[in-house]
Amino acid sequence: MTVHAHPELTKNQSLVFGSLSDAGGPLTAYAILDILRENGFRAPLQVYRALDKLVEYGLVHRLESLNAFVACSHKGCSGHGSAAFAICEKCGEVSEFTPDDAIQLLKDWTDGKGFRLSRTTIELRGICRSCGAET
Amino acid sequence: MTVHAHPELTKNQSLVFGSLSDAGGPLTAYAILDILRENGFRAPLQVYRALDKLVEYGLVHRLESLNAFVACSHKGCSGHGSAAFAICEKCGEVSEFTPDDAIQLLKDWTDGKGFRLSRTTIELRGICRSCGAET
DNA sequence: AGTCTAAACGTAACACTATTACGTCAATAC
DNA sequence: GTATTGACGTAATAGTGTTACGTTTAGACT
């Protein structure tokens, strides 16, 4: 498996991040656990602890509507605007993008309400181009 | 409990919708189940089936990031643009709003990708005005 | 009425997702 | 060298959601 080393990552964090990067798409915590059993993982908490840190570092995103996690699509990630996700309900493909303009409009609303925004979740469900093109 | 009758709702659906309306905020499916035990509810599926229909009717929204459900804030609901939610992480208050402009920008992106959008999830986490004002 | 069908319902068992609790280990700071 | 901190290992448990199977109810149609 590719290791995707990161200077600041511990061994477990690297393994979890590597499994997500290799998957090229979202995985549930338990799917990651199964993948990493051959690397000595035994319990969900090992995965969740690593995921907590990776999400904190911005290397991994959580997809709330799937209860799954995905590696950030920005190669040298670390520090960019909030992300949004288009999730194909047919093939499961997930496209990450960064709709700064839309997020600014949302922030305008929260500012007007005196709501201090800390995190945005934007997930779009639908059918991707290639699935929609099928007969 | 208020009954919030709705011509098209079955008894179970009315009970579930009533519990959510009375709560004035989000409830998990199991919280609803506990509330409705005194009305004869015995199993989670009774709640989930009713919720499925209520969400389909647009009377109830699912909050993905809370694994919870909330009654739509539009009194005579039924048929309006996609909703967004601002969730206070301190007091739990949820404000629903309808950011048509932001959603249009997201739709512009999906249209450009040939992604046929069917459902949007927008959930904003942060601290509401009254909680942020506290010492 | 009688019967057919579709939707909703009741119940039990199970599967999936996430956390709590408790103890250990290694690195660093004083 | 011991105190603190953060990561780790393991087990048990809590919380969320679904599958499977059978029954009931309400209309539609002879």
Side-chain angles (χ1 to χ4, degrees):
Chain A
M1 178 204 297
T2 317
V3 172
H4 299 281
H6 185 288
E8 318 225 348
L9 297 186
T10 67
K11 183 183 164 209
N12 283 4
Q13 290 162 14
S14 287
L15 286 167
V16 169
F17 184 63
S19 65
L20 279 172
S21 297
D22 290 349
L27 292 176
T28 67
Y30 279 75
I32 295 170
L33 174 58
D34 285 340
I35 290 171
L36 294 180
R37 281 191 195 283
E38 62 191 34
N39 296 90
F41 274 48
R42 312 283 303 274
L45 192 50
Q46 296 174 292
V47 177
Y48 282 110
R49 285 204 271 231
L51 286 170
D52 283 348
K53 286 297 179 184
L54 293 168
V55 168
E56 180 185 326
Y57 299 157
L59 293 170
V60 165
H61 299 290
R62 182 191 173 105
L63 299 173
E64 303 282 0
S65 64
L66 296 179
N67 290 327
F69 301 84
V70 67
C72 179
S73 63
H74 295 78
K75 302 313 171 202
C77 198
S78 174
H80 57 76
S82 297
F85 303 90
I87 302 167
C88 178
E89 299 194 290
K90 195 161 178 186
C91 69
E93 191 199 43
V94 173
S95 302
E96 178 180 347
F97 63 110
T98 308
D100 293 323
D101 48 2
I103 289 173
Q104 185 56 50
L105 289 172
L106 295 171
K107 190 162 183 351
D108 290 346
W109 186 91
T110 57
D111 286 349
K113 285 286 189 179
F115 184 93
R116 190 158 55 81
L117 182 60
S118 62
R119 190 163 68 82
T120 68
T121 296
I122 301 178
E123 298 177 17
L124 311 178
R125 312 298 290 263
I127 306 293
C128 74
R129 166 173 280 144
S130 50
C131 286
E134 291 172 6
T135 48
Chain B
M1 181 204 296
T2 318
V3 171
H4 299 281
H6 184 289
E8 319 225 346
L9 296 186
T10 66
K11 183 180 164 214
N12 283 4
Q13 289 161 15
S14 288
L15 287 167
V16 169
F17 184 63
S19 66
L20 279 172
S21 296
D22 290 349
L27 292 177
T28 67
Y30 279 74
I32 294 170
L33 174 58
D34 285 340
I35 290 170
L36 294 180
R37 281 191 195 282
E38 61 191 35
N39 296 90
F41 274 49
R42 312 285 302 275
L45 193 49
Q46 295 174 293
V47 177
Y48 282 110
R49 284 203 273 231
L51 286 171
D52 283 349
K53 286 296 178 184
L54 293 169
V55 169
E56 180 185 326
Y57 299 156
L59 293 171
V60 166
H61 299 289
R62 181 189 173 106
L63 298 174
E64 302 282 0
S65 64
L66 296 178
N67 291 328
F69 301 83
V70 67
C72 179
S73 64
H74 295 77
K75 303 311 172 202
C77 197
S78 174
H80 57 76
S82 298
F85 303 89
I87 302 167
C88 178
E89 301 194 289
K90 195 161 178 186
C91 70
E93 191 199 43
V94 173
S95 301
E96 178 180 348
F97 63 111
T98 309
D100 293 323
D101 48 2
I103 290 173
Q104 185 57 49
L105 289 173
L106 295 171
K107 189 161 184 350
D108 291 345
W109 186 91
T110 58
D111 286 349
K113 285 287 188 178
F115 183 93
R116 190 157 54 82
L117 182 61
S118 63
R119 190 163 67 82
T120 69
T121 295
I122 300 178
E123 298 176 17
L124 311 178
R125 312 296 291 265
I127 306 292
C128 74
R129 166 173 281 147
S130 50
C131 286
E134 290 171 8
T135 48

